[in-house]
Amino acid sequence: MDARATEHETIDAGLIDRLQRAAFGYFRLFTNEANGLVADTSLPDWPCSIAAVGFALSCYPVAVTRGWIDRAEAGCIVAATLRFLDDAQTDAAGETSHRGFFYHFLDMATGLRVWNSELSFMDTAILMAGVLSASAFLDGPDAVEAEIRERAARIFGRVDWRWTETRGHAVHMGWKPRRGFLPDRWTGFSESLLMFVLGLGSETSPLSPASYETWLDTCDWYEGPAGGYVYAGPLFIHLFPHAWIDFRGIADRLTRRHATDYCENTRTAIRTHRVYAADNPHRFSGYCDDLWGLTACNGAKARLTLRNGRRVSIAGYAARGAPFGPDDGTLAPWATLSCLPFAPAEAARALRHLLAAYPAVLSDDRFPDSFNPSIRGDGPEGWVARRCTGIDQGLLVMSIENFRSGLCWRLMRASPIVKRGLAAAGFRGGWLEAQAD
């Protein structure tokens, strides 16, 4: 029996389609269609997150393919977004962009920097991944799609990746006007895997291959009860780069050393989370191998008495993780469903369990940022976040689609930038060598 057919038999296709479409609906509700900026969260008067814009751009190909919007409408929204990104690059520090990078948070109407936010190299990478995805899909001859491709090439070509790389080939996390580079650099396995691939693939101002090797040397291999893997605690770290890049069967120096790839690595991370939840070392309510999902998300931010009588400090926004924490009982329901491409049976069981045991978590078929069933509340769900978050909804759309059809992977596998970046990072094997042949 075909393996993919077996995987799909574990899924209620109608339910998955409904959840995927509702996740895409976030971008219909919280996008300024005049400039394409997307609100970071669903809370009132929230600013734009440039990473949310990147996810939105990446989701329009899915929406067109699934028939949720037509191609012309998608083209209009993408064109408006790219016009803003292109025209906003005045390079005036402190406004919208600088050296091709964009500030983390922008005003939804004006597009100007807010919250004293940093020029975010990682969030710009997510934005650029969206620019590349949308322009690869909208490849028709009409004037709008031709403009999209022209502007996309110009927007990506302006990014000065090499500027981010300083002493010892380490890459900084960001930059602020008058302050300069943030002191922290990218170390340890992280979502920056995507940033390195795109930065290495640039033709105009690429990162050096030495920067990737420097970063790789800081990544840790962990041997746990579910197997060995390149370690990161929060699930989003393992999931974000895979939204765009198909790491199946291709390996860099580190993964070759351990006879694996980052797809298998993510599978091991998922098993680790499930084993941790089943063990439930901190005795939180509901944890089991069908209720898991520790990642970066919002929390209740209070010191509370839990259902079991324990007094616990609950963090606000935190990068929760397993097996080494932090963990305060707060779970992200979107994270487990985003594991579909790697652990379809396990993700499907987690979804069925979640909807049966905690039905009020889902609202209008859309998942909130997080919930905490250990906190006393009106129902078994306990505390439920009042917001949805754009990057979470985008990841859901893309992960479900990569499970269903592989569309997002195919778009980026065809990108010369991605292929150059992977090659410069030392990736070999699989589809990379097949395309080279």
Side-chain angles (χ1 to χ4, degrees), residues 9 62 79 83 126-127 169 175 189 201 204 211 219 273 420:
E9 286 173 5
V62 178
R83 285 172 194 140
I126 293 174
L127 176 64
H169 298 292
W175 180 91
F189 188 62
T204 52
S211 71
C219 297
H273 276 248
R420 277 197 306 271

Side-chain angles (χ1 to χ4, degrees), residues 43 295-304 313-320 328-332 368-372 375 383-387 389:
L43 294 176
T295 191
C297 62
N298 195 37
K301 197 175 183 180
R303 185 164 177 80
L304 300 170
S313 292
I314 308 296
Y317 186 85
R320 298 164 173 88
D328 56 12
T330 306
L331 299 168
D369 187 59
S370 53
F371 78 113
N372 191 325
I375 296 174
W383 177 87
V384 180
R386 294 186 300 110
R387 70 184 194 181
T389 302

Side-chain angles (χ1 to χ4, degrees), residues 266-332:
T266 297
R267 289 192 174 106
T268 305
I270 292 167
R271 288 197 300 271
T272 300
H273 276 248
R274 295 181 67 238
V275 168
Y276 174 85
D279 290 345
N280 195 9
H282 301 294
R283 297 179 290 116
F284 290 119
S285 296
Y287 278 32
C288 64
D289 59 2
D290 284 337
L291 187 70
W292 41 279
L294 291 167
T295 191
C297 62
N298 195 37
K301 197 175 183 180
R303 185 164 177 80
L304 300 170
T305 301
L306 304 184
R307 293 182 191 273
N308 61 11
R310 282 192 301 140
R311 191 84 173 156
V312 173
S313 292
I314 308 296
Y317 186 85
R320 298 164 173 88
F324 303 121
D327 179 17
D328 56 12
T330 306
L331 299 168

